[in-house]
Amino acid sequence: MKPLPVEGPLVWLYEPNHDVLARESRAAFEQRLGPPHGTDSHGDGLGPTAYWVWRAECGLTVVALHRERTGDFHVFAEANEIDHTLAHLGWWRDEVEWRADGGKPRAKDGWAVYRQDDTGNRHDVCVMPVKGHAECLARMLEARAHKQWYAVEARGTPPPLPSRERPRKGWAVIRQDEHGNRAEVAVHPSEDIARKLAAAYDAEPRHKQGYFVEPVTPKS
């Protein structure tokens, strides 16, 4: 498997609760996806932890951490992106011990990835909110399939794309250059995490620009 492009800067932007618990030898994982992008000797009090943060070409952010004490991998993903995330990690079934969407009803509105075999039988794999992500998953599934193919079609009413005009809440990370030109880099509901992100950007070797945090001001 080709390693995914690294997402940067490496700042922990995710909730403490993971969405997938998986088990694979760390040596096998690193052989496929490369060494960790960062380590934490304390691991929020749970012992040494290594973590990986990638940005796939389809736009999906993939986050995985490995707990040295237990040997488990914890993966962070949106509930309706779990199948997609696992496919990017090269995990299909055997490695996964628990997933947050297990036993829950399948989404009814969005873009369905479905499988069809050589006898014409069809089966939905999952329903996702982003068409491009559904198409990405279909391609990965078909690449490993035998005598079956995968495709994407709308189910119900696909969710609308996020509108930039909707009110936002949280803390904005702002980049400002030497001429006073400003640009919003990211928005996060946590002020502490937004400041960590700004500090991480500031620490990178950049020319005559700085980063700071301010409350998001909704457009009037």
Side-chain angles (χ1 to χ4, degrees):
M1 173 179 288
K2 181 181 178 182
L4 297 166
V6 177
E7 170 80 335
L10 298 177
V11 178
W12 196 249
L13 297 177
Y14 296 85
E15 298 299 325
N17 297 322
H18 56 277
D19 302 284
V20 175
L21 179 67
R23 184 173 288 272
E24 180 185 21
S25 77
R26 178 166 165 181
F29 186 84
E30 290 192 27
Q31 185 176 7
R32 291 185 298 107
L33 291 164
H37 304 142
T39 59
D40 181 349
S41 59
H42 299 290
D44 296 330
L46 298 177
T49 298
Y51 61 90
W52 292 255
V53 186
W54 300 279
R55 171 80 68 166
E57 291 183 1
C58 64
L60 179 72
T61 297
V62 181
V63 178
L65 64 84
H66 180 264
R67 300 279 191 198
E68 183 177 310
R69 183 179 297 172
T70 62
D72 293 326
F73 281 92
H74 297 216
V75 180
F76 297 77
E78 297 291 338
N80 46 26
E81 295 277 8
I82 289 179
D83 287 291
H84 187 200
T85 301
L86 293 175
H88 276 293
L89 291 171
W91 289 337
W92 302 100
R93 179 175 300 173
D94 295 340
E95 300 87 354
V96 178
E97 297 189 348
W98 174 86
R99 50 188 289 172
D101 61 348
K104 295 183 179 179
R106 189 188 308 275
K108 296 181 179 179
D109 295 324
W111 299 94
V113 178
Y114 68 90
R115 177 180 70 240
Q116 183 167 317
D117 62 25
D118 56 350
T119 63
N121 295 316
R122 290 171 46 134
H123 173 73
D124 279 1
V125 176
C126 61
V127 178
M128 302 168 64
V130 180
K131 184 179 181 181
H133 289 190
E135 292 172 338
C136 176
L137 175 58
R139 288 192 298 269
M140 287 190 288
L141 291 171
E142 188 160 309
R144 65 184 296 273
H146 177 63
K147 292 186 177 180
Q148 55 190 14
W149 57 275
Y150 292 80
V152 172
E153 66 182 14
R155 286 281 189 278
T157 304
L161 294 174
S163 172
R164 295 186 178 182
E165 300 303 321
R166 293 176 183 171
R168 302 175 304 155
K169 296 180 180 179
W171 298 84
V173 179
I174 306 296
R175 180 181 68 239
Q176 183 168 313
D177 64 20
E178 59 181 325
H179 305 295
N181 299 314
R182 293 159 46 104
E184 185 180 285
V185 175
V187 173
H188 198 276
S190 166
E191 180 182 3
D192 180 59
I193 291 179
R195 293 194 182 282
K196 288 180 180 179
L197 181 57
Y201 275 116
D202 239 349
E204 290 187 339
R206 295 175 181 271
H207 180 61
K208 295 182 179 179
Q209 56 187 12
Y211 292 82
F212 59 93
V213 172
E214 63 182 26
V216 171
T217 303
K219 294 181 180 180
S220 57

